[in-house]
Amino acid sequence: MSALQALQRCRRERPRWTAVAVATLAILLAWPVVDWWLRGIEVAPQFRFWDFGAYGNAVDRWQAGEALYVRNDNGGFHGSYLYPPFSVLLFYPFVALFEPDMTRLVWSAATVLFMWVGLQALVASLGRSLSVPERLLGLLALLGFQPFLLGIKMGQTVGVTGGLLALAGAGVVNDTAGRRLRGVWATLAGVTTALVGLLKLPFAPAGAHLLRSKRRFAAAVGTGLVLLALSVAVFGIDSHRLYLDVLAWGVESGGGARNPALWLPPYFKPLAWLSGSIALRLVGSAIVVAYAVLAADADREVFALGVASIPLLAPLVYTYYFTAVLPAVVVLLAVEFDHPSGRPTIPLVGLLLLQFHSYGLKFLVDNVPDAIPAFTALRPAYFLLQPGLWGSLVLVGLAAARVAEQVELPGWLDAWLADLRSDENDIEAD
C-alpha cells in the first residue's frame, strides 16, 4: 500500500490524525516560501554555507602539510575545524573536484540527496511503498523542515548524519524482522551508527540499539577500530592529540547558559535552566542504556528512543541537530500504528514543535515583549518557552513509554522484589 493510499484509508479510520498529518505536510511544503519571506525581511539567514568554508580550509591545510586545528589567540578553537581528523576524507572529493564557488552547492545538494535516499530506505523497511510522485513530494517536504533547511544554509553535515541514521534505522527494522540478508542489514545498522557517533560525538545516544544485537555492536566496534587506524595512518598521531584539546575546549565552552532573549536561528539550550544539567544528562543516558538492555523485542522502539534523545542528552546542541530526529519520528509513527492503543498524532505534534522552534522562540522572546512589555518579567523563564524542548520531550517520552512496556526484569531482580513484597505482606499480617 502506498503512503497516499494509507492516508486515504486513515481519513475514515483516524480522522484526527489525518487532519494533523495533512496540516503538517502543508506546513512543510509551504515553509520554503515562508523562509524566502523571512530572508527578505532579514530575519532568516541567507544561503552562505559558512561551515563548509571551515571544512574546505581543513582540506587545504592537510594538503599543505599544516595542522588541521588552529588555535585562536585566547587558546580556543572558535571558527576552526572541529570534526575528527578522518572526516577530512569526507570533504576532500568535493574540494578536489569542484571550483570553490561550486563546491558548496554540490556539497549541499549531495547531503540533501543522501538524506532523501536514507529516509526512503527507512520507509521501505517499514512496509510502505512510495510512488515516484510521492518520493518527489517527500523531497519537497524534507526541504521544508526548518532545522534541515537551516543546516543546508550553513553548509552543515546534517544531511550526512541524518541520512546515516535513517539507513541505520532501516538496518535495525530489517534485522529485527528477520528478513533476507538479515546479517547484512545488522552490519549496515552497526556501521552507519558508528560513523554517525564518530563524526558527531554528541550523537552517541543513537547507539542505544547496538546493545540489542551482538552483530550490530560488533560491526560498530569494528568500524571504529578501522577508522581509528586509517585516521592515524593518514593524519598522524599529533592531529589526534590536538583533537583531544578541541574536545576539551568544546566541553569547557559549551556550558554557558545564554538566555533565549539573545536569539539566533541555531539557538537551542534545552537544559540550560537547570544547575545540574550535566548530572541529569548522565542519568538520562543511564536510563536509555538500561531500557535498551532490559527491553525484549523492542529494537525499533529502542532505536527511536536513542535517536530522539540526542537533542536532550548532547552537551552542546543546535537547532539543525533536530534533523537527526527525523528517522525517530518515522519509526515512532510506524510503532504507534502497530500498537493496539497507539497514538500516531503524538509524533506529528513533536515534529511540529521542532519545526517551529527557531522562529516560534523568536516570536516569544522578541515580538511578544515588544507588544506586551510586562512579558519581560518572564525573562528568567524564557528557557521553558523553547518549542524544541517540548517537542524533544514529547518524542522521548513516547519512545520511552513504548520501550517500558517491553522491559523484562532479570530473574534475580524479579525474585528479590517478590521476596520484598512477601515480607511486607507478612509484616502487615502481623
Side-chain angles (χ1 to χ4, degrees):
M1 181 182 297
S2 70
L4 290 181
Q5 287 174 336
L7 184 63
Q8 292 175 351
R9 189 183 70 178
C10 287
R11 184 177 61 180
R12 298 185 298 272
E13 299 176 359
R14 298 178 183 265
R16 183 180 304 176
W17 179 86
T18 304
V20 176
V22 171
T24 301
L25 180 60
I27 290 169
L28 293 175
L29 294 177
W31 190 260
V33 177
V34 175
D35 185 80
W36 170 79
W37 175 71
L38 290 173
R39 280 184 278 127
I41 61 174
E42 299 183 349
V43 171
Q46 303 292 329
F47 288 84
R48 301 299 186 192
F49 314 107
W50 301 280
D51 289 354
F52 190 82
Y55 310 157
N57 290 337
V59 173
D60 293 338
R61 286 195 297 272
W62 171 50
Q63 292 182 303
E66 301 174 359
L68 294 179
Y69 310 101
V70 180
R71 291 186 186 272
N72 305 135
D73 294 336
N74 62 0
F77 295 90
H78 183 74
S80 175
Y81 188 66
L82 302 177
Y83 285 86
F86 78 86
S87 60
V88 171
L89 300 176
L90 171 64
F91 310 115
Y92 170 73
F94 296 91
V95 176
L97 295 175
F98 302 97
E99 295 297 324
D101 291 341
M102 182 63 63
T103 299
R104 303 179 182 192
L105 295 176
V106 175
W107 162 257
S108 297
T111 58
V112 170
L113 179 63
F114 186 69
M115 181 74 186
W116 181 46
V117 170
L119 286 175
Q120 290 179 75
L122 178 57
V123 171
S125 72
L126 294 167
R128 287 285 178 259
S129 61
L130 295 172
S131 63
V132 173
E134 288 172 341
R135 295 174 190 271
L136 295 176
L137 189 66
L139 174 60
L140 295 177
L142 176 62
L143 291 171
F145 185 53
Q146 190 274 330
F148 182 55
L149 185 58
L150 176 61
I152 296 171
K153 291 179 180 181
M154 299 182 68
Q156 260 285 334
T157 59
V158 292
V160 175
T161 52
L164 287 171
L165 286 174
L167 290 175
V172 170
V173 173
N174 285 314
D175 175 30
T176 305
R179 292 172 183 157
R180 185 181 178 187
L181 302 177
R182 178 179 181 181
V184 175
W185 286 113
T187 301
L188 174 67
V191 170
T192 51
T193 302
L195 290 174
V196 171
L198 293 170
L199 186 64
K200 283 274 193 182
L201 295 182
F203 286 23
H209 72 89
L210 299 176
L211 301 175
R212 303 286 312 148
S213 166
K214 293 181 180 179
R215 187 184 293 271
R216 282 182 243 149
F217 185 83
V221 173
T223 301
L225 293 176
V226 170
L227 272 183
L228 177 60
L230 175 65
S231 188
V232 171
V234 174
F235 300 100
I237 195 66
D238 290 339
S239 294
H240 294 79
R241 288 174 177 168
L242 189 55
Y243 180 62
L244 294 179
D245 293 340
V246 172
L247 293 178
W249 168 80
V251 172
E252 181 180 348
S253 63
R258 174 192 177 110
N259 192 280
L262 304 173
W263 179 87
L264 287 172
Y267 180 93
F268 182 53
K269 292 282 188 180
L271 303 179
W273 50 284
L274 296 172
S275 58
S277 60
I278 295 180
L280 187 59
R281 286 188 173 97
L282 292 175
V283 172
S285 299
I287 293 174
V288 172
V289 169
Y291 270 18
V293 172
L294 297 176
D297 299 325
D299 290 46
R300 293 189 309 173
E301 293 83 350
V302 168
F303 170 81
L305 175 60
V307 173
S309 65
I310 289 173
L312 295 179
L313 299 182
L316 183 62
V317 194
Y318 300 99
T319 299
Y320 44 78
Y321 280 21
F322 291 148
T323 303
V325 179
L326 287 178
V329 173
V330 174
V331 171
L332 283 174
L333 281 170
V335 168
E336 291 306 296
F337 273 110
D338 292 342
H339 196 279
S341 57
R343 298 175 180 270
T345 302
I346 295 179
L348 294 181
V349 171
L351 177 67
L352 288 173
L353 288 169
L354 301 183
Q355 169 76 8
F356 289 113
H357 166 76
S358 187
Y359 298 107
L361 180 62
K362 177 176 173 56
F363 174 77
L364 292 172
V365 302
D366 281 354
N367 301 104
V368 173
D370 289 343
I372 309 174
F375 192 80
T376 56
L378 298 177
R379 183 184 174 107
Y382 279 1
F383 290 109
L384 297 175
L385 302 181
Q386 299 179 88
L389 168 62
W390 299 105
S392 297
L393 288 174
V394 165
L395 296 173
V396 170
L398 177 62
R402 295 309 180 212
V403 175
E405 293 175 347
Q406 306 296 325
V407 166
E408 293 182 357
L409 297 178
W412 64 268
L413 181 57
D414 199 23
W416 180 76
L417 291 174
D419 291 341
L420 185 61
R421 288 192 294 267
S422 178
D423 291 342
E424 290 177 352
N425 292 333
D426 291 342
I427 292 174
E428 291 177 0
D430 292 340

